[in-house]
């Protein structure tokens, strides 16, 4: 006898990538609150900064249909699994613990969870960030993942490739996300 899947498990996933240290409150909060009203799950790297801000805003939406997924960095040593300090942020509902410790400038290497961050969602929204965010952008391009950068200018991410669609207008960011989740 087959078991029927819950509708919640079939929701598309929106990945939001951004700074792990700078909250980017206005954009992250605006995006997170809107995503919370949509039939989607939210995926982030599970840390602080913009990741925490978008998660908190998503969580603030009452009766939201989706869950908050965090892809967490970590490592394994003689004491077993060791999460990286500061992970997960308090809003993560479904933590995915990895043994992958690399990030930042090393975010495209095989020992980085950024591959999972980019490959899992249906669409990626990029907020301002540093080298780790830049590595997720490069991976999204490499894997052909639909992506929009919600930025005021290209300079908000170091060495942003010219192929990245940058959109400062939130209504158009919403349209892009909807075109890849409905």
């Amino acid at each position: 006898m087959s078991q029927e899947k819950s509708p919640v498990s079939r929701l598309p996933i929106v990945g939001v990538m951004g700074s792990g240290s700078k909250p980017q409150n206005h954009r992250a909060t605006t995006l997170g609150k809107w995503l919370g009203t949509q039939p989607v799950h939210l995926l982030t790297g599970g840390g602080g900064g913009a990741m925490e801000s978008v998660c908190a805003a998503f969580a603030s939406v009452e009766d939201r249909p989706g869950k908050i997924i965090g892809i967490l960095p970590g490592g394994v040593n003689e004491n077993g699994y060791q999460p990286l300090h500061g992970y997960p942020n308090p809003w993560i509902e479904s933590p995915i613990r990895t043994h992958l410790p690399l990030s930042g400038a090393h975010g495209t290497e095989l020992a980085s969870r950024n591959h999972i961050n980019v490959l899992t969602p249906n669409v990626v929204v990029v907020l301002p960030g540093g080298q780790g965010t830049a590595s997720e952008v490069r991976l999204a391009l490499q894997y052909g993942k639909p992506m929009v950068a919600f930025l005021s200018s290209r300079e908000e991410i170091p060495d942003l490739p010219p192929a990245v669609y940058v959109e400062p207008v939130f209504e158009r960011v919403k349209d892009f996300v909807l075109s890849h989740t409905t």
Side-chain angles (χ1 to χ4, degrees):
M1 183 185 237
S2 73
Q3 190 174 14
E4 189 174 319
K5 291 183 180 180
S6 161
V8 138
S9 66
R10 289 186 246 147
L11 295 178
I13 299 171
V14 176
V16 178
M17 310 302 146
S19 173
S21 59
K22 297 178 183 163
Q24 303 300 329
N25 282 330
H26 177 69
R27 278 182 268 196
T29 300
T30 300
L31 178 62
K33 283 186 178 180
W34 175 72
L35 287 172
T37 68
Q38 302 302 300
V40 300
H41 296 301
L42 170 65
L43 179 143
T44 73
M51 294 179 280
E52 185 169 356
S53 295
V54 74
C55 290
F58 188 91
S60 75
V61 176
E62 289 188 40
D63 300 321
R64 63 186 154 83
K67 299 290 181 197
I68 304 168
I69 305 163
I71 308 297
L72 311 179
V76 179
N77 61 28
E78 62 278 352
N79 298 319
Y81 177 76
Q82 302 296 313
L84 261 58
H85 179 73
Y87 291 86
N89 71 54
W91 308 105
I92 299 299
E93 297 167 320
S94 296
I96 309 296
R97 292 170 182 83
T98 76
H99 64 291
L100 305 168
L102 298 182
S103 62
H106 301 283
T108 58
E109 294 181 28
L110 291 179
S112 170
R113 78 191 193 290
N114 290 353
H115 295 271
I116 300 167
N117 289 352
V118 168
L119 286 168
T120 303
N122 300 76
V123 61
V124 174
V125 180
V126 183
L127 296 172
Q131 290 297 324
T133 305
S135 68
E136 288 164 324
V137 165
R138 288 190 300 277
L139 288 171
L141 288 172
Q142 176 184 333
Y143 293 130
K145 191 59 74 166
M147 172 179 49
V148 59
F150 185 22
L151 307 173
S152 297
S153 74
R154 303 186 77 77
E155 289 72 40
E156 290 184 289
I157 296 177
D159 303 317
L160 190 66
V164 176
Y165 169 42
V166 173
E167 184 51 68
V169 178
F170 183 59
E171 289 302 315
R172 291 197 286 257
V173 171
K174 286 170 37 176
D175 291 342
F176 185 88
V177 169
L178 289 171
S179 74
H180 294 284
T181 57
T182 54

